[in-house]
Amino acid sequence: MSVVLHIGLPKTGTTYLQEWLKLNNDKLRQSGVAVLSSAAAHRLAAASLTDSSLSSRADVLAIERDCTLPQAAKEMHDYVGHVRVVSSEYFFHCDPSDVRVTMDALGVSVSSIICYVRRQDRVCASGYAQEVKALGLAKRIADYGEVSYNPLLDWNQLYEKWETAFPSAAIIFENFESCVANGTLVKTFRASIGATEVETFDLPERVNESLSAHLTEFARILNEKRSAYDLDRLMDIQGRTKLPPFAFDQATTQLFERIYLPTNQLLAKRFPLKFEEYCTSGWRPNGIDMTDRLDAEQQADILFRYVSRD
């Protein structure tokens, strides 16, 4: 049994690709590519979480309640002769060696591992904006202290760990930002799962989009005041206005560069022509940080748009 694992890194189009898989489930299955349900995929990843601080989280416990491991295993074995695509953002939090133990116990062979990565400062900036938007975060960037090395953001080490755990699998790393800029995110994903020739539906719009810099700060202020707000309304404002995305300032961006440039250069050697921007000095933000910079006039403008329904 051949399995393709999609290791969904934060803010690299994982939700979008999972929605695309769901939308095209029938077409893919007819062509020999079976997509595991999100419940089953997440359950297999949860079974590989050995860190108690992660396995005891409320979201992981909910995954275990919603789908048992035998149910996930049955779904994995249901489609004889099919390539199974298993996509979960929880694999990112797993030690690859533990995932190997889980897959061996199920009697499956992992043929390919797909991972989209983006520049480390942009992953963290997008993640911060997402937590403000979706989780009620009120912390300022400065509250996190100085940037330091985080092994979870070391893409070369990530590659090495998966390669060590699955030496026979093809390890495919893609540049998320390049794919988005070139409109090839789905194209590269289709190729990786063996569905290049399959006629599929396209998603009509972006999924799980982050708030702009101004709206991120507006939401953070409301979170700080513990004021409830209509997130859909903020997203509607975003769709009607041209505001820059949230990003760290230049000084913070340079700290990320200093820490991760060397390891990115190692990754770039594995994938020539894919990650030049990540391993070239002179990183620049692709947006702005409006933390504590949203003046009264700007707040009033956003508030006016928020209460106006036309």
Side-chain angles (χ1 to χ4, degrees), residues 263-276 279:
T263 187
N264 285 354
Q265 290 171 338
L266 295 175
L267 180 68
K269 290 180 180 179
R270 303 180 188 277
F271 298 96
L273 306 180
K274 276 191 180 180
F275 298 102
E276 290 88 347
C279 62

Side-chain angles (χ1 to χ4, degrees), residues 224-287:
E224 194 173 48
K225 297 177 181 297
R226 300 181 183 274
S227 299
Y229 56 89
D230 185 344
L231 179 57
D232 290 337
R233 187 61 188 149
L234 290 185
M235 296 305 298
D236 181 64
I237 295 171
Q238 176 147 309
R240 295 166 178 264
T241 56
K242 290 187 178 296
L243 294 170
F246 175 83
F248 295 137
D249 61 25
Q250 182 61 45
T252 303
T253 300
Q254 288 177 334
L255 288 174
F256 274 95
E257 176 187 337
R258 189 179 310 154
I259 294 168
Y260 295 106
L261 188 66
T263 187
N264 285 354
Q265 290 171 338
L266 295 175
L267 180 68
K269 290 180 180 179
R270 303 180 188 277
F271 298 96
L273 306 180
K274 276 191 180 180
F275 298 102
E276 290 88 347
E277 180 193 1
Y278 297 1
C279 62
T280 304
S281 60
W283 291 11
R284 295 288 183 270
N286 63 341

Side-chain angles (χ1 to χ4, degrees), residues 80-214:
V80 178
H82 285 66
V83 174
R84 278 79 167 170
V85 178
V86 185
S87 173
S88 176
E89 55 272 28
Y90 290 92
F91 282 124
F92 174 61
H93 299 287
C94 299
D95 187 307
S97 62
D98 294 324
V99 178
R100 178 61 187 264
V101 170
T102 300
M103 295 299 156
D104 286 349
L106 292 173
V108 301
S109 173
V110 174
S111 58
S112 301
I113 296 167
I114 310 166
C115 189
Y116 288 83
V117 300
R118 62 191 299 188
R119 217 174 68 185
Q120 286 86 347
D121 60 310
R122 294 173 180 170
V123 167
C124 293
S126 186
Y128 171 83
Q130 180 68 13
E131 289 191 22
V132 170
K133 166 191 166 185
L135 302 179
L137 183 70
K139 290 177 67 174
R140 294 167 169 79
I141 295 299
D143 296 336
Y144 289 92
E146 188 168 307
V147 179
S148 59
Y149 174 80
N150 182 344
L152 287 177
L153 297 174
D154 187 331
W155 306 147
N156 186 65
Q157 184 180 100
L158 181 70
Y159 177 95
E160 289 178 340
K161 286 186 173 181
W162 283 100
E163 183 185 45
T164 299
F166 296 93
S168 299
I171 313 294
I172 304 167
F173 271 44
E174 296 286 353
N175 183 327
F176 170 74
E177 291 160 310
S178 176
C179 288
V180 171
N182 297 328
T184 57
L185 181 63
V186 170
K187 180 181 178 180
T188 56
F189 190 68
R190 281 163 53 111
S192 297
I193 65 174
T196 303
E197 303 301 323
V198 183
E199 292 186 10
T200 56
F201 300 113
D202 294 327
L203 285 178
E205 58 187 44
R206 296 178 66 182
V207 176
N208 200 23
E209 185 177 3
S210 296
L211 291 171
S212 67
H214 293 72

